Amino acid sequence: MRIVVLAGGIGGARFLAGVRATGEEVTAVVNVGDDVTLHGLRICPDLDSVMYTLGGGADRERGWGRAGETWVVKEELAAYGAEPAWFGLGDRDLATHLVRTRMLGAGYPLSAVTEALCARWQPGVRLLPATDDRLETHVVTGGRALHFQEWWVRYRAELPAQRFVFVGADAAKPAAGVLDALADADVVLVAPSNPVVSIAPILAVTELRDALVRGTVPVVGISPIIGGAPVRGMADKCLAALDVPCTAAGVGDLYGARSAGGILDAWLVDTADAGTGVAGVPVRAHPLWMSDEAATLAIVREALAAA
Ligand code: FO1
């Protein structure tokens, strides 16, 4: 069976470990809206979180960056007063950004760069960026726009977001391989990632979203909200900016039923949210805590059954 997963970073990586455990052929279409250029290097947080986590190199509790990381270069940068000091670049992580930046500079698309980096990490799933073009999430707050990373890392998402703008989305095309993967898939899963800053920037790539909506491949979403709270991260602050209720129903409605121009054919909610209704979308309740890979695999099997 061919499974395509739309995913963000930390939650997406944990979910993908369960999808990989099915032993099926898995392609992850990963958010690039978090990507940023800092200190002259192109950094792709969600692609790297998935690659390191599935490749066994991630720092488990941090959720991003490398295990066994050191921060000597970061300290040296700070000694020079080289801004931004609020974004932590680890010494091991830097090698990834140096290789990526050099390959991008040589003209390779991000999809080829990702494939090259994955040759080392062997994540066990195929990683594709949603687009090879520039697409960056900027946050409008207090009448000005901040790059997502500044809002998220420097200000811990404490500044009230009025709007999220996916800069470049209008011109962005699906990355090489994405449309073929969607066309050949037996099922598409929407990972329990942040719906606003991880999944929405993927769906902002118009041809990608159209391929989902107009395709015949069943799309099953897994709720990132359990009992009215995000499993991890700050989805609640992001949803608030869109006036979307921080509930399993709210996110299900945000994605919408395929029959109503949305993307969902089925919606998986936690047992705490059993009875959730989403217009036009069959809902199934199943424990959604990804406490370990076996639990995540059970969630994936339930999603495949829903498909
Ligand atoms: N998150 C932080 O909270 N602080 C950091 O200093 C930080 C550095 C960083 C470096 C590389 C990278 O790939 C991710 C990094 N992140 C950091 C996480 C990142 O901001 C978020 O994980 C994603 O963008 C949100 O999914």
Side-chain angles (χ1 to χ4, degrees), residues 9-10 34 43-46 48-49 52 63-65 74 86-90 93 97 148-149 152-153 156 198:
I10 298 166
D34 295 10
I43 297 154
C44 301
D46 282 359
D48 290 351
S49 278
Y52 290 155
W64 55 268
K74 181 174 188 282
W86 45 264
F87 195 81
L89 284 175
D93 195 32
H97 311 317
F148 169 79
Q149 290 299 340
W152 187 264
V153 176
R156 311 306 308 156
S198 293

Side-chain angles (χ1 to χ4, degrees), residues 5 10-19 189-192 222 290 296 299-300:
V5 183
I10 298 166
R14 186 155 297 176
F15 181 71
L16 278 161
V19 185
L189 302 180
V190 183
I222 292 86
M290 300 187 283
T296 309
I299 296 167
V300 174

Side-chain angles (χ1 to χ4, degrees), residues 50-130:
V50 175
M51 181 175 74
Y52 290 155
T53 300
L54 297 185
D59 180 289
R60 296 289 298 162
E61 71 271 5
R62 234 190 295 125
W64 55 268
R66 290 286 307 281
E69 187 58 281
T70 53
W71 309 91
V72 175
V73 173
K74 181 174 188 282
E75 290 156 15
E76 289 299 308
L77 286 167
Y80 280 117
E83 288 302 323
W86 45 264
F87 195 81
L89 284 175
D91 299 324
R92 295 179 185 278
D93 195 32
L94 269 174
T96 301
H97 311 317
L98 286 167
V99 168
R100 177 185 294 120
T101 303
R102 191 179 65 187
M103 287 187 72
L104 289 171
Y108 292 94
L110 182 58
S111 46
V113 174
T114 304
E115 188 177 1
L117 294 171
C118 286
R120 170 191 172 185
W121 289 102
Q122 295 295 312
V125 306
R126 186 178 176 212
L127 284 197
L128 291 176

